[in-house]
Amino acid sequence: MKKGKRDVPLSLSVKAIICLCIAAIALSGAAVTFSYVTFRSILVRNYESSMEMFASMLIGQRNKLNQKQIEDFCKEMSEKGNVSAVYIYEVKSGDTFMAYGCDESTYSNWLEHYQGKKEKKVTDKKLLVSRVSKEYGMGVFIEMSMKVIDQQLLHFAIMLITVIMEVTVLLVVFSWNLVKKHVVNPILMMNSATKSFLSHSNEDAEAKMTGLVIETNDEIQILWESIMQMEDRIQKYIGNITEMTIHAEKIKMELNIASRIQASMLPIPLAANIKQKIKLYAVMHSAKEVAGDFYDYFMIDKNHLGIIVADVSGKSIPAALFMMVTKTALKNNLLYYKEVVKAVDVANKQLCEGNNENMFVTAFIAIIDIDSGEMSYCNAGHTRTVLASESGEIFWFKERQGIILGAFDEANYRECYYQLKKRNYLYIYTDGVTEACDKHGEFFGESRLGDSLKASYKKGRSLEESIMALELDVKCFSEDDNQADDITVLGVELI
């Protein structure tokens, strides 16, 4: 998505000034409009009252003044700008007594509008007043131009706008200082303190925040108190995270050390004269930093080779610790008793003793005569051993699996025998191979394991190459998904 050009944000001060100006303009406009309308109404009423008084005076002085005197009086009023036309008539006969600044047609229009029912009429250009006296039998129409009123309204409007603008400017300045003091400045100080805290997160920044006091007695103060509470929680959270990170790094370092220690416990290569009689190749991949699987091989005497492949329940540190105990118990007993069943039976009793966590081990233990190829072995709940023969077929050991180690101290174990032949590949593995899952949750299984080993043997691959091919097949099957269990494979070939 293409990002548009970012607009430059307005500061809070500019926004506050704009809002104050808009509010001031709106209030000023309302005040000017209201004052103008009110003043115009008052002005019109005053002129109406003056014209009504003038009309009453004309009617009252009708018999005292002659026509020439009335005309002079009307002319004087006209020159003052108060009257533009006067029409005096007899009510009964409708005869014209005097017409000043108008004619009969104007009189007819006036009569049409009034017909003796209305005493005044205001238009955009004229102000017309009618007065009828039954006592004197006279009627008067007086007309005044609105230009006089408009000129006065214009002067009033100019004066009003000037005054309101001055007052508005003063109010805006006062309001801005008030807003700046109680709103803008506190927010800017809070912004500066929080920025310092976010950019440094050290004691200086913390001191700057805690040293800032905002007492506006309103929502701004409540906001700052909430920010201070949040800052305190963040500091505590950062402290906890720091401690957890240090602890996690320490654990990680200890696990790395444990992993190296565990790697150092893997068996050392056999002597050159032994390698001329038997070939061994093993791989082990742990699901965690340290493994619960293990394998070991060692010479019991000059002709007999001891082999152990085991899988401890659980994972990580507990499994690794129990693995070391199991490895030591099995190896020591094989070296001491030189018999598979006796060594397994004693090791099982040792593992059951004090096993309060109810951990257990599956294991394949064997002793191979490297000269004759005779193998005595015991399967203690472990996966089935598989052999690729010279015929190119896969042979699965069908003996009944024994009881797991460390679960029952009275368990009985059975010793089995098999005659290894040259060019036969013997594979001992843990369930991490057959129980590797793909994204659909399907296991790799014994069938795919057998197919992989069979294909390698038919292609003439060496023992090492066949195990490497199996690793690749398992990895491709699981599609590099997170490894769920430790994987261990040990291959044996009699030369």
Side-chain angles (χ1 to χ4, degrees):
M1 180 178 177
K2 187 177 180 180
K3 294 184 178 180
K5 186 177 179 181
R6 185 179 178 184
D7 295 333
V8 178
L10 294 176
S11 66
L12 182 62
S13 302
V14 175
K15 291 179 180 178
I17 292 174
I18 292 175
C19 291
L20 288 173
C21 290
I22 291 174
I25 291 172
L27 291 174
S28 300
V32 168
T33 303
F34 176 78
S35 301
Y36 179 84
V37 171
T38 303
F39 181 73
R40 184 179 185 279
S41 177
I42 294 173
L43 196 62
V44 169
R45 285 200 300 269
N46 288 339
Y47 274 103
E48 287 175 349
S49 299
S50 299
M51 292 170 65
E52 289 174 356
M53 290 178 60
F54 179 56
S56 300
M57 183 186 67
L58 288 176
I59 293 174
Q61 298 295 327
R62 155 72 177 79
N63 296 323
K64 298 179 181 179
L65 300 175
N66 56 35
Q67 187 173 356
K68 181 66 173 59
Q69 291 176 324
I70 293 176
E71 287 179 357
D72 292 340
F73 186 67
C74 291
K75 183 177 181 181
E76 181 182 354
M77 295 296 292
S78 176
E79 290 175 352
K80 291 180 180 181
N82 295 338
V83 175
S84 59
V86 177
Y87 187 86
I88 304 174
Y89 63 94
E90 297 285 347
V91 176
K92 291 183 178 180
S93 62
D95 294 337
T96 301
F97 173 75
M98 188 195 74
Y100 175 79
C102 59
D103 52 21
E104 293 290 338
S105 60
T106 303
Y107 168 62
S108 299
N109 292 332
W110 288 348
L111 288 179
E112 182 179 350
H113 283 293
Y114 282 89
Q115 298 177 355
K117 297 180 181 179
K118 296 182 180 179
E119 296 185 349
K120 53 190 176 182
K121 179 177 178 64
V122 181
T123 65
D124 293 338
K125 295 182 179 181
K126 297 178 180 180
L127 175 62
L128 185 63
V129 173
S130 171
R131 179 70 68 182
V132 177
S133 175
K134 295 181 179 180
E135 179 182 356
Y136 295 102
M138 298 295 292
V140 178
F141 284 111
I142 301 176
E143 183 184 77
M144 176 181 173
S145 175
M146 289 297 292
K147 290 181 179 180
V148 178
I149 297 177
D150 292 340
Q151 288 177 356
Q152 295 187 27
L153 286 174
L154 178 60
H155 292 301
F156 172 77
I158 293 173
M159 181 187 65
L160 179 64
I161 291 173
T162 302
V163 173
I164 288 181
M165 285 182 64
E166 293 175 353
V167 173
T168 300
V169 170
L170 293 175
L171 287 176
V172 167
V173 171
F174 175 78
S175 301
W176 163 240
N177 289 329
L178 194 65
V179 170
K180 184 177 180 181
K181 179 180 178 181
H182 294 283
V183 179
V184 177
N185 286 344
I187 291 177
L188 291 178
M189 289 189 291
M190 288 191 297
N191 181 55
S192 176
T194 52
K195 278 186 176 181
S196 177
F197 174 75
L198 293 174
S199 59
H200 297 91
S201 295
N202 53 22
E203 295 181 358
D204 293 337
E206 183 179 0
K208 186 174 182 179
M209 289 194 69
T210 54
L212 179 61
V213 179
I214 294 179
E215 296 181 350
T216 57
N217 298 321
D218 54 18
E219 289 79 0
I220 300 293
Q221 182 176 343
I222 295 174
L223 175 61
W224 178 241
E225 292 172 353
S226 300
I227 292 175
M228 289 297 298
Q229 293 176 3
M230 182 178 67
E231 181 267 341
D232 183 61
R233 293 182 181 179
I234 290 175
Q235 288 287 2
K236 292 180 180 178
Y237 179 75
I238 291 174
N240 293 336
I241 291 296
T242 303
E243 292 180 3
M244 291 172 61
T245 303
I246 294 172
H247 184 63
E249 288 296 326
K250 184 178 180 181
I251 292 176
K252 185 178 179 180
M253 182 177 65
E254 292 174 349
L255 286 174
N256 288 334
I257 295 173
S259 179
R260 291 196 296 271
I261 294 174
Q262 192 177 56
S264 68
M265 295 180 66
L266 293 175
I268 60 175
L270 297 173
N273 62 323
I274 304 297
K275 289 182 178 180
Q276 294 176 357
K277 298 180 180 181
I278 193 168
K279 182 186 292 185
L280 300 174
Y281 181 76
V283 293
M284 185 173 73
H285 303 291
S286 60
K288 301 295 183 181
E289 289 81 359
V290 289
D293 285 5
F294 73 91
Y295 70 91
D296 196 6
Y297 53 82
F298 46 89
M299 295 303 297
I300 297 175
D301 54 40
K302 64 179 182 178
N303 296 324
H304 292 87
L305 175 71
I307 292 177
I308 304 171
V309 176
D311 182 4
V312 179
S313 62
K315 297 179 182 66
S316 194
I317 297 294
L321 292 173
F322 201 70
M323 176 272 289
M324 295 178 66
V325 174
T326 304
K327 180 179 182 295
T328 302
L330 288 172
K331 182 175 182 178
N332 289 343
N333 284 297
L334 278 175
L335 290 172
Y336 182 77
Y337 291 106
K338 296 180 175 57
E339 294 181 12
V340 172
V341 171
K342 182 63 176 177
V344 171
D345 183 65
V346 173
N348 177 60
K349 288 181 171 57
Q350 291 173 345
L351 294 175
C352 289
E353 186 178 351
N355 185 10
N356 297 324
E357 299 301 322
N358 297 319
M359 299 191 73
F360 61 88
V361 183
T362 68
F364 181 90
I365 308 99
I367 297 177
I368 301 174
D369 188 328
I370 61 175
D371 291 326
S372 66
E374 182 180 351
M375 179 178 71
S376 61
Y377 65 93
C378 177
N379 188 324
H382 201 67
T383 55
R384 292 200 300 168
T385 306
V386 60
L387 182 128
S389 65
E390 66 277 359
S391 64
E393 297 300 321
I394 296 298
F395 171 74
W396 294 91
F397 283 36
K398 300 185 183 301
E399 78 282 347
R400 188 180 64 180
Q401 294 174 327
I403 300 174
I404 56 179
L405 301 176
F408 308 101
D409 56 0
E410 299 297 329
N412 294 318
Y413 296 94
R414 184 166 63 95
E415 188 170 11
C416 300
Y417 300 91
Y418 188 81
Q419 182 64 46
L420 294 176
K421 298 179 181 180
K422 294 183 179 181
R423 288 294 300 157
N424 286 359
Y425 296 166
L426 179 69
Y427 300 96
I428 311 160
Y429 59 92
T430 59
D431 58 6
V433 177
T434 53
E435 293 181 2
C437 291
D438 63 6
K439 62 182 180 180
H440 302 294
E442 184 178 356
F443 289 145
F444 186 74
E446 290 184 347
S447 177
R448 290 185 177 88
L449 170 61
D451 291 342
S452 175
L453 298 177
K454 184 176 182 180
S456 291
Y457 196 88
K458 285 186 175 181
K459 291 178 181 180
R461 292 171 177 163
S462 65
L463 178 67
E464 180 180 352
E465 290 172 341
S466 66
I467 293 178
M468 292 173 64
L470 176 61
E471 284 185 282
L472 183 61
D473 289 341
V474 173
K475 185 176 181 180
C476 292
F477 175 79
S478 60
E479 297 180 353
D480 296 329
D481 198 6
N482 291 331
Q483 184 179 330
D485 199 0
D486 301 330
I487 295 177
T488 301
V489 181
L490 172 66
V492 182
E493 179 188 2
L494 196 64
I495 301 175

